[in-house]
Amino acid sequence: MALNVPGLVVMAGFYLVILGTGIWASMRSKKEEKKCNGDGMEITLLAGRNINLLVGIFTLTATWVGGGFILGIAEATYNPTLGAVWALMPVPYVLTFFLGGFFFAKPMRENRYVTMMDPFQQKYGNVLSSALIFPALVADVLWVARTLVSLGGTMSVILDLSYVYSIIISSVVAIIYTLLGGLYSVAYTDVIQLILIFISLWVCVPFMMTNPHSLDISLTAYNETFQAPWVGKVELDEAGKWFDDFMLLALGGLAYQAFYQRILSASSYSQAQVTCFASSAFCLVLGIPSVLIGAVAASTDWNSTSYGLPTPYERDQAGSILPIALQYLTPTYISVIGIGAVAAAVMSSMDSALLSSASLFSSNIYKNIIRKQASDREMQWVIRISVVVVGMAGTALTFLDSSVLVFWLVGVDMSYTIMFPQLVCILFFKVSNGYGASVGYLMGIIMRVLSGEPLIGLAPVIKFPGCRLDAEGKLTQFFPFRTTIMIISLLSILLFSWLASIIFNKGLLSERWDVFKVKRTQRPTPKAESDKRTNSDNEEGAAAKQLLDTTSC
């Protein structure tokens, strides 16, 4: 297969448009900073907490509808050992956004946090919060890796461009425009990217479904033809694993900084809620084309195509089924349009992951721990360096594994089992303290490692009920073990926080041993309570005035 020159030209044009949009948005960011004379770091990371509603909806949707989303759904639907019932991503995301909008957005916005790690730092101190930041940063790096893997595989199949070159070029472009304008650049490029994703995917679907090499997907949905039915099934002894995957995707997303970055950038709580609810509907719609493409691939007689036999699954190329289907089941010009959708999806998620990790490091580690007196200019450079470092780390990981699902699930897994219970406790349970958080953190990490992970070849030491070999011969936990670990971690945080509170408040241990300062302060007098309410009213008035000033900018 020769290098697809027309396709390369189209992709080059796409990258130029995205880069141009990013540069334009960065100029707008600088104008806003001068106009409002606000905190430069807050404008870079949160767009001055005044992002447009429509732009907010687009950027939140585009953040979740990444390359892993598009290729992962197609891969699961096509895989004869899984099927569409295991292509869970769109439905759990509806739950993610609704829970986020109803419950998690309010405490985050009321306290005017900059990152999701701010409440940890304020309550637990710098040492413990730094340890808690680590899994969040790793999850973001894995997010970068999975998005680049999806694009590298697509370009190498359709354009016959080297996998390495595809990944490096895409990584450089995303890093450049994220460096230039922060959330403004990310958000406005997301608008262009989401429009391209929607149009490109739905343009490809009719050509895919009417190709002469595939049977009607309604006939293969429940009947075995070239492979097992593409709908798939969940056996009774697999129900625990299915439930575990569903909860992983639904709740794991609530422990990502990228989610709160969009919520905190909205101008009001009601706008943040509307952003969440609208984005959930977009995720459902954008998941349908990938399911259809995976279904068509499962209904295809590959021997009648130029691809030939063995099938993509037998060649261990299920992770690249979407670009393979585009290449061999649609006209060339349609496959080029399809790669545009994948490229747009990759860029929309990668820039979000880059900015997310940069905000955690720059705000919670550098600004709050390393150099508290750092100027705005210095912080801008710290953010840029962080973006480059995370981009390079994620790019390096793409050469270790080519499966989109591997990076997807491992990254979300860390957020779900380790960070989600921590976030729930810090936001909704006043009893939580550093002692409980430390125990829950260690409990989550140890139990998760000992439970094994077949995707990375880690054998389980703890074997939950139903642990056995799967259809691919890998020892797999079919019990909802990740949800179990998450619950154990959450209960550990609450139990040991309560115990520590009793021990120090009742004087069972000397106060000098109270590292996390949990000893209850003296109950305030009625006068103090009155003064507190007065101060609160004054603060609310000041906050309202500040909001009006910001809006007027």
Side-chain angles (χ1 to χ4, degrees), residues 65 130 132 166 291 366 450 466 469:
V65 181
S130 298
L132 292 171
S166 304
V291 172
Y366 193 87
L450 294 179
L469 295 177

Side-chain angles (χ1 to χ4, degrees), residues 48-63:
R49 300 185 190 268
N50 194 32
I51 203 163
N52 179 274
L53 173 61
L54 188 60
V55 174
I57 294 171
F58 272 71
T59 187
L60 181 57
T61 305
T63 298

